[in-house]
Short mmCIF file of all heavy atoms in Angstrom, two decimals:
data_model
loop_
_atom_site.label_atom_id
_atom_site.label_comp_id
_atom_site.label_asym_id
_atom_site.label_seq_id
_atom_site.Cartn_x
_atom_site.Cartn_y
_atom_site.Cartn_z
N VAL A 19 0.84 -1.20 0.00
CA VAL A 19 0.00 0.00 0.00
C VAL A 19 0.87 1.25 0.00
O VAL A 19 0.60 2.21 -0.75
CB VAL A 19 -0.97 -0.01 1.20
CG1 VAL A 19 -1.61 1.35 1.42
CG2 VAL A 19 -2.03 -1.07 1.01
N ALA A 20 1.93 1.26 0.80
CA ALA A 20 2.81 2.42 0.84
C ALA A 20 3.49 2.65 -0.51
O ALA A 20 3.59 3.79 -0.98
CB ALA A 20 3.86 2.23 1.93
N LEU A 21 3.94 1.60 -1.15
CA LEU A 21 4.57 1.74 -2.45
C LEU A 21 3.58 2.19 -3.52
O LEU A 21 3.91 3.02 -4.37
CB LEU A 21 5.22 0.42 -2.88
CG LEU A 21 6.48 0.02 -2.11
CD1 LEU A 21 6.93 -1.37 -2.52
CD2 LEU A 21 7.58 1.02 -2.33
N SER A 22 2.37 1.68 -3.46
CA SER A 22 1.35 2.07 -4.43
C SER A 22 0.99 3.55 -4.28
O SER A 22 0.84 4.27 -5.29
CB SER A 22 0.10 1.21 -4.27
OG SER A 22 0.39 -0.12 -4.55
N LEU A 23 0.83 4.01 -3.05
CA LEU A 23 0.49 5.43 -2.84
C LEU A 23 1.63 6.33 -3.27
O LEU A 23 1.39 7.39 -3.88
CB LEU A 23 0.14 5.67 -1.37
CG LEU A 23 -1.20 5.11 -0.92
CD1 LEU A 23 -1.38 5.31 0.58
CD2 LEU A 23 -2.33 5.76 -1.68
N SER A 24 2.85 5.94 -2.96
CA SER A 24 3.98 6.79 -3.36
C SER A 24 4.11 6.82 -4.88
O SER A 24 4.45 7.86 -5.47
CB SER A 24 5.27 6.31 -2.72
OG SER A 24 5.60 5.01 -3.16
N TRP A 25 3.84 5.72 -5.53
CA TRP A 25 3.89 5.69 -7.00
C TRP A 25 2.80 6.58 -7.60
O TRP A 25 3.04 7.28 -8.59
CB TRP A 25 3.75 4.25 -7.49
CG TRP A 25 3.94 4.12 -8.96
CD1 TRP A 25 2.98 3.92 -9.90
CD2 TRP A 25 5.17 4.20 -9.68
NE1 TRP A 25 3.53 3.88 -11.14
CE2 TRP A 25 4.88 4.04 -11.04
CE3 TRP A 25 6.49 4.40 -9.30
CZ2 TRP A 25 5.85 4.08 -12.02
CZ3 TRP A 25 7.46 4.43 -10.28
CH2 TRP A 25 7.14 4.27 -11.62
N ALA A 26 1.63 6.58 -6.98
CA ALA A 26 0.54 7.42 -7.47
C ALA A 26 0.88 8.90 -7.32
O ALA A 26 0.61 9.70 -8.23
CB ALA A 26 -0.75 7.09 -6.72
N VAL A 27 1.49 9.28 -6.21
CA VAL A 27 1.88 10.67 -5.99
C VAL A 27 2.96 11.07 -7.00
O VAL A 27 2.92 12.17 -7.58
CB VAL A 27 2.36 10.88 -4.55
CG1 VAL A 27 3.02 12.23 -4.37
CG2 VAL A 27 1.21 10.71 -3.58
N LEU A 28 3.92 10.21 -7.22
CA LEU A 28 4.99 10.50 -8.18
C LEU A 28 4.44 10.64 -9.60
O LEU A 28 4.85 11.53 -10.34
CB LEU A 28 6.04 9.39 -8.14
CG LEU A 28 7.26 9.57 -9.03
CD1 LEU A 28 8.04 10.80 -8.62
CD2 LEU A 28 8.13 8.34 -8.97
N THR A 29 3.51 9.79 -9.97
CA THR A 29 2.89 9.86 -11.29
C THR A 29 2.12 11.16 -11.47
O THR A 29 2.23 11.83 -12.50
CB THR A 29 1.97 8.66 -11.52
OG1 THR A 29 2.72 7.46 -11.36
CG2 THR A 29 1.34 8.68 -12.89
N GLU A 30 1.34 11.54 -10.46
CA GLU A 30 0.57 12.79 -10.54
C GLU A 30 1.50 13.99 -10.62
O GLU A 30 1.26 14.93 -11.40
CB GLU A 30 -0.34 12.91 -9.32
CG GLU A 30 -1.15 14.18 -9.30
CD GLU A 30 -2.16 14.27 -10.42
OE1 GLU A 30 -2.63 13.24 -10.90
OE2 GLU A 30 -2.49 15.41 -10.82
N ALA A 31 2.58 13.98 -9.85
CA ALA A 31 3.52 15.09 -9.90
C ALA A 31 4.20 15.17 -11.26
O ALA A 31 4.40 16.27 -11.80
CB ALA A 31 4.56 14.93 -8.80
N SER A 32 4.54 14.04 -11.83
CA SER A 32 5.18 14.03 -13.15
C SER A 32 4.24 14.55 -14.23
O SER A 32 4.65 15.34 -15.09
CB SER A 32 5.63 12.61 -13.51
OG SER A 32 6.53 12.12 -12.57
N LEU A 33 2.99 14.11 -14.17
CA LEU A 33 2.02 14.59 -15.16
C LEU A 33 1.76 16.08 -15.00
O LEU A 33 1.62 16.80 -16.00
CB LEU A 33 0.72 13.79 -15.04
CG LEU A 33 0.79 12.35 -15.53
CD1 LEU A 33 -0.51 11.63 -15.21
CD2 LEU A 33 1.08 12.29 -17.01
N SER A 34 1.70 16.56 -13.77
CA SER A 34 1.48 17.99 -13.55
C SER A 34 2.67 18.80 -14.05
O SER A 34 2.51 19.89 -14.60
CB SER A 34 1.25 18.26 -12.07
OG SER A 34 0.03 17.70 -11.66
N PHE A 35 3.88 18.28 -13.86
CA PHE A 35 5.07 18.97 -14.35
C PHE A 35 5.05 19.09 -15.87
O PHE A 35 5.46 20.10 -16.42
CB PHE A 35 6.32 18.22 -13.90
CG PHE A 35 7.60 18.82 -14.39
CD1 PHE A 35 8.09 19.99 -13.83
CD2 PHE A 35 8.29 18.23 -15.43
CE1 PHE A 35 9.27 20.54 -14.29
CE2 PHE A 35 9.47 18.78 -15.89
CZ PHE A 35 9.96 19.95 -15.31
N LEU A 36 4.54 18.07 -16.53
CA LEU A 36 4.46 18.09 -17.98
C LEU A 36 3.26 18.86 -18.51
O LEU A 36 3.09 19.01 -19.71
CB LEU A 36 4.42 16.66 -18.52
CG LEU A 36 5.68 15.82 -18.27
CD1 LEU A 36 5.45 14.39 -18.70
CD2 LEU A 36 6.87 16.42 -19.00
N GLY A 37 2.40 19.31 -17.60
CA GLY A 37 1.22 20.05 -18.01
C GLY A 37 0.05 19.17 -18.37
O GLY A 37 -0.90 19.62 -19.00
N LEU A 38 0.09 17.91 -17.97
CA LEU A 38 -0.98 16.98 -18.32
C LEU A 38 -1.82 16.57 -17.12
O LEU A 38 -2.66 15.70 -17.22
CB LEU A 38 -0.37 15.71 -18.94
CG LEU A 38 0.46 15.94 -20.19
CD1 LEU A 38 1.16 14.65 -20.59
CD2 LEU A 38 -0.39 16.46 -21.32
N GLY A 39 -1.58 17.19 -15.98
CA GLY A 39 -2.30 16.84 -14.77
C GLY A 39 -3.70 17.43 -14.74
O GLY A 39 -4.23 17.91 -15.75
N THR A 40 -4.29 17.44 -13.57
CA THR A 40 -5.63 18.00 -13.41
C THR A 40 -5.57 19.50 -13.58
O THR A 40 -4.60 20.16 -13.22
CB THR A 40 -6.21 17.66 -12.03
OG1 THR A 40 -5.32 18.16 -11.03
CG2 THR A 40 -6.38 16.17 -11.86
N ARG A 41 -6.62 20.05 -14.14
CA ARG A 41 -6.67 21.49 -14.38
C ARG A 41 -7.32 22.18 -13.19
O ARG A 41 -8.23 21.65 -12.57
CB ARG A 41 -7.46 21.79 -15.64
CG ARG A 41 -6.82 21.22 -16.87
CD ARG A 41 -7.63 21.59 -18.09
NE ARG A 41 -7.13 20.87 -19.25
CZ ARG A 41 -6.38 21.42 -20.17
NH1 ARG A 41 -6.04 22.69 -20.07
NH2 ARG A 41 -5.95 20.73 -21.19
N ARG A 42 -6.83 23.38 -12.92
CA ARG A 42 -7.40 24.17 -11.83
C ARG A 42 -8.73 24.75 -12.27
O ARG A 42 -8.91 25.15 -13.42
CB ARG A 42 -6.47 25.28 -11.42
CG ARG A 42 -5.21 24.79 -10.81
CD ARG A 42 -4.37 25.97 -10.36
NE ARG A 42 -3.11 25.50 -9.81
CZ ARG A 42 -2.17 26.30 -9.40
NH1 ARG A 42 -2.31 27.60 -9.50
NH2 ARG A 42 -1.07 25.81 -8.90
#
C-alpha cells in the first residue's frame, strides 16, 4: 500500500510537471 500510494503521488507530480495533470 505504501509503495502504491507513493507511486501514485509520483505519477501525478510528473504529469502535472508536464502540463498533463488535473486542471485548476
Side-chain angles (χ1 to χ4, degrees):
V19 167
L21 289 174
S22 296
L23 287 176
S24 64
W25 186 255
V27 169
L28 183 63
T29 303
E30 179 66 28
S32 300
L33 289 173
S34 293
F35 178 75
L36 295 173
L38 301 172
T40 57
R41 297 182 189 257
R42 293 183 182 177

